[in-house]
Amino acid sequence: MRWWDIDPVLALEKDLFPEDAWSRGMFWSELAHARGPGSTRRYVVAYDGERLVGYGGLAVAGTDSGGGDAVAADVQTIAVARDQWGTGLGARLLTELLRHATAFEATEVLLEVRVDNTRAQKLYERFGFEPIGFRRGYYQPGNVDALVMRLSDPSAVPPAAPHTSPNGRADGPVNGVQGTEIHG
C-alpha cells in the first residue's frame, strides 16, 4: 500500500466497516512505519484492473505472547470488496501477510475478529489460527466483542490454494482470483 491507495482504501473501509472504520490518519500512521530500515508494518492492496478490491495489514512487535525474545505479529486489518467474497482473495491477502510475518521472523501471529464475523473466522481457522480469548466491547461504537486468535507458526502455512467452485474444479489461474493483482 502506498499513499495514493489511501482514498480507495478508505472508500472500501467505510463500505465494509461503517461503524468502526479506520480514519485517514490511522492509515497514514501505519504507512509511516511500513518502509525503510526498522519498519514494523506491512500493508498490501489488491486491484482488479484500476479498482481496489482488497487490502490487508500486519504489524510486528518484539516479543511473542510467551514474553520471550521471539517476534510476534498482529494482523491489523483485512478487507475484501463484497463482490469479491468467495473468490479466494481474502486467502491470498492473508497468505501475503503471513509471508511477511515470516520475513519479519515472527514466531506467532495474533488477530482480533468480530464475534459476529463467521466468514472471517472460518478463513482464519483454515489457516490454522486458534481461538485464545475474547476482548469484550473491542469494536466501538457498536460494543461488539472480538475473538482473539493465534497462529503458532506462520512459516508452516502453505501458499494459498486456488479457489474451488462448487463443482470441485479450480476456477481461473493458480492464484485463485483471475485479473486481480496484489501489491505491497
Side-chain angles (χ1 to χ4, degrees), residues 91 94-99 101-102 109 123-129 150-161:
L94 184 55
T95 297
E96 188 68 11
L97 294 178
L98 295 177
R99 187 177 70 80
T102 300
V109 178
L123 169 67
Y124 301 138
E125 287 170 358
R126 284 197 331 256
F127 275 74
F129 282 85
R150 178 177 53 212
L151 176 65
S152 296
D153 184 4
S155 67
V157 175

Side-chain angles (χ1 to χ4, degrees), residues 8-176:
V9 162
L10 283 172
L12 185 54
E13 177 84 1
K14 288 175 184 171
D15 176 53
L16 295 173
F17 312 114
E19 288 188 357
D20 51 6
W22 283 22
S23 68
R24 179 179 307 278
M26 291 171 76
F27 280 108
W28 273 106
S29 178
E30 289 297 295
L31 289 181
H33 298 284
R35 299 280 184 236
S39 66
T40 58
R41 308 289 194 274
R42 189 64 175 167
Y43 280 76
V44 296
V45 292
Y47 278 89
D48 186 5
E50 296 292 315
R51 181 175 157 246
L52 184 129
V53 293
Y55 58 90
L58 178 85
V60 296
T63 60
D64 64 13
S65 63
D69 292 330
V71 175
D74 189 75
V75 173
Q76 300 287 83
T77 186
I78 292 183
V80 174
R82 294 177 201 280
D83 67 338
Q84 298 289 314
W85 290 0
T87 66
L89 180 56
R92 288 186 54 218
L93 288 166
L94 184 55
T95 297
E96 188 68 11
L97 294 178
L98 295 177
R99 187 177 70 80
H100 289 293
T102 300
F104 278 122
E105 298 181 359
T107 56
E108 71 177 7
V109 178
L110 299 164
L111 59 81
E112 294 88 13
V113 59
R114 289 174 63 109
V115 294
D116 58 358
N117 189 347
T118 56
R119 175 185 293 275
Q121 290 172 34
K122 288 179 182 178
L123 169 67
Y124 301 138
E125 287 170 358
R126 284 197 331 256
F127 275 74
F129 282 85
E130 297 177 338
I132 61 168
F134 292 93
R135 295 183 194 254
R136 303 284 178 213
Y138 183 78
Y139 293 99
Q140 295 296 327
N143 202 36
V144 177
D145 295 344
L147 174 64
V148 181
M149 301 181 82
R150 178 177 53 212
L151 176 65
S152 296
D153 184 4
S155 67
V157 175
H163 174 68
T164 305
S165 65
N167 65 12
R169 293 188 307 226
D171 294 332
V174 174
N175 67 17

